[in-house]
């Protein structure tokens, strides 16, 4: 059992054992089982922060990794009742990487990639005898290992887009990073599955399409993964009954994310409200208003006029297809608004192409933001409307 190669199930075990609230999302495993080895084996799931991305990755690691025995851990969950449960349980070499942690320990992307390869290679050399002691390239080691014994790997990558959020203006570093991921994952026979998560989608960064083999599931379209994006209405009703909380108030505060026709609730906020017995802005407390302020204050292409409309409770139709999937390249106001959808400040209906402010919690964040921006008359009108 290693830290990066074939980890144990400790993180998922802690979640399901010591968390007061755990909602069973193990049927996500049934979806990934169907993707193994096939043409759709590269999956990228993008969601806002605190929407359960890391929990899902810890769950997949606990299920697939050879480094542990998770039969008993999963026995009480839905996935244990599926026909393929035993077939794939703890049968694979898993490499689990949190890109943000590696980035935080190094000065730049080049140094980060070098450090990452050294750490993973160290564990691989301890596990597999067929790797040369002096080998420094993770990709070559994986290719050689497959050539010798056809070893396949499942790659689980968290915070894949942290480079694009931290080094948002460094195109050279971004290209180096994308080239590394392309060489590591694209067309490689040793890849059984690649599951990446982040906040941003990965389709377009300028003209560079290094990772175009990925199927993407984002906040503009989650496709088959819609029910795993957050808590569903049925799951929230059950929690409200269990904790004697008003479902109507919970809906007002934390509902509003429409994903492929499914109503999704913010899991972080619902969990906190149930445990504390108080409706409050829990998700927005994890980040300052600056994240929202910077995009409103810039007023790119007249975004402020749209924000005023949304603050009044109206909806706005946008085109999400021009978004470059980064945090600095905006050609139209729709690009800015699409970014706010991916960040979780707005929700998007893929059928009607409309956006709106999803719920009371996020509305409070918008109001706090416009207050510090000096939109006094707008705040006064909103407060008057609330009183009425």
């Amino acid at each position: 059992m290693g830290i990066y190669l074939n980890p144990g199930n400790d993180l998922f075990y802690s979640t399901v054992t010591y968390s007061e609230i755990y909602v069973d999302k193990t049927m996500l495993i049934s979806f990934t089982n169907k993707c193994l080895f096939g043409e759709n084996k590269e999956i990228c799931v993008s969601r806002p922060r605190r929407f359960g991305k890391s929990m899902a990755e810890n769950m997949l690691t606990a299920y697939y990794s050879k480094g542990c025995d998770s039969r008993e851990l999963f026995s009480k969950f839905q996935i244990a009742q599926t026909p393929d449960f035993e077939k794939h349980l703890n049968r694979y070499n898993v490499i689990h990487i949190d890109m943000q942690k590696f980035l935080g320990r190094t000065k730049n992307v080049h140094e980060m990639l070098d450090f990452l390869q050294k750490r993973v290679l160290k564990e691989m050399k301890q596990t597999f005898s067929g790797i040369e002691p002096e080998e420094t390239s993770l990709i070559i080691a994986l290719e050689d290992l497959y050539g010798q014994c056809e070893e396949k790997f499942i790659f689980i990558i968290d915070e894949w887009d942290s480079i694009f959020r931290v080094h948002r203006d460094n195109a050279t570093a971004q290209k180096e990073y994308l080239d590394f991921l392309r060489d590591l994952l694209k067309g490689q026979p040793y890849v059984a599955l690649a599951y990446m998560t982040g906040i941003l989608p990965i389709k377009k960064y300028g003209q560079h399409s290094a990772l175009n083999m990925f199927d993407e599931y984002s906040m503009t379209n989650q496709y088959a993964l819609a029910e795993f994006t957050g808590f569903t209405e049925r799951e929230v009703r059950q929690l409200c009954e269990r904790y004697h909380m008003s479902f109507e108030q919970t809906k007002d505060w934390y509902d509003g994310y429409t994903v492929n026709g499914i109503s999704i609730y913010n899991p972080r906020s619902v969990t906190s409200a149930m445990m504390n017995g108080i409706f409050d802005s829990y998700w927005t407390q994890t980040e300052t208003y600056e994240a929202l302020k910077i995009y409103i204050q810039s007023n790119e292409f007249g975004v402020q006029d749209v924000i005023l409309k949304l603050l009044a409770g109206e909806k706005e139709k946008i085109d999400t297809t021009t978004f470059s999937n980064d945090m600095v390249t905006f050609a139209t106001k729709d690009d800015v608004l699409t970014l706010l959808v991916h960040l979780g400040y707005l929700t998007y209906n893929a059928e009607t192409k409309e956006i709106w402010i999803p719920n009371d919690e996020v509305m409070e964040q918008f109001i706090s933001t416009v207050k510090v921006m000096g939109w006094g008359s707008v705040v006064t009108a909103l407060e008057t409307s609330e009183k009425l």
Side-chain angles (χ1 to χ4, degrees), residues 97 99 102 112-120 180:
I97 300 169
M99 289 296 183
F102 279 101
M112 182 204 79
L113 294 176
D114 184 58
F115 181 51
L116 182 156
Q117 292 184 84
K118 286 180 179 177
R119 295 296 293 165
V120 178
F180 170 77

Side-chain angles (χ1 to χ4, degrees), residues 263-283:
S263 187
I264 292 297
Y265 291 68
N266 184 317
R268 151 80 180 191
S269 300
V270 170
T271 300
S272 298
M274 297 299 116
M275 293 176 62
N276 294 327
I278 298 172
F279 296 107
D280 202 351
S281 300
Y282 297 104
W283 176 68

Side-chain angles (χ1 to χ4, degrees), residues 168-182:
R168 58 180 66 185
D169 295 309
N170 192 337
T172 302
Q174 293 171 11
K175 184 180 184 301
E176 180 182 2
Y177 173 64
L178 284 174
D179 286 341
F180 170 77
L181 288 180
R182 177 200 61 205

Side-chain angles (χ1 to χ4, degrees), residues 170-210:
N170 192 337
T172 302
Q174 293 171 11
K175 184 180 184 301
E176 180 182 2
Y177 173 64
L178 284 174
D179 286 341
F180 170 77
L181 288 180
R182 177 200 61 205
D183 294 343
L184 177 67
L185 302 172
K186 189 171 184 177
Q188 294 286 16
Y190 55 72
V191 177
L193 178 76
Y195 184 93
M196 297 201 315
T197 65
I199 294 175
L200 296 173
I202 64 174
K203 272 187 180 176
K204 301 163 287 189
Y205 281 98
Q207 299 301 314
H208 206 66
S209 56

Side-chain angles (χ1 to χ4, degrees), residues 9 25 47 58 99 147 158 165 198 211 230 257 260 344 349 385-386:
N9 57 22
K25 294 291 184 178
R47 300 175 195 157
N58 293 335
M99 289 296 183
D158 198 6
R165 290 184 276 119
L211 303 181
Y257 294 98
N260 295 79
N349 187 316
S385 175
E386 181 66 22

Side-chain angles (χ1 to χ4, degrees), residues 141-192:
L142 288 164
E143 290 175 342
D144 289 347
L145 196 59
Y146 181 81
Q148 295 167 20
C149 49
E150 296 189 351
E151 287 282 357
K152 285 183 175 284
F153 291 78
I154 288 177
F155 294 84
I156 299 178
I157 302 174
D158 198 6
E159 301 285 357
W160 90 271
D161 62 331
S162 55
I163 285 82
F164 299 95
R165 290 184 276 119
V166 176
H167 299 289
R168 58 180 66 185
D169 295 309
N170 192 337
T172 302
Q174 293 171 11
K175 184 180 184 301
E176 180 182 2
Y177 173 64
L178 284 174
D179 286 341
F180 170 77
L181 288 180
R182 177 200 61 205
D183 294 343
L184 177 67
L185 302 172
K186 189 171 184 177
Q188 294 286 16
Y190 55 72
V191 177

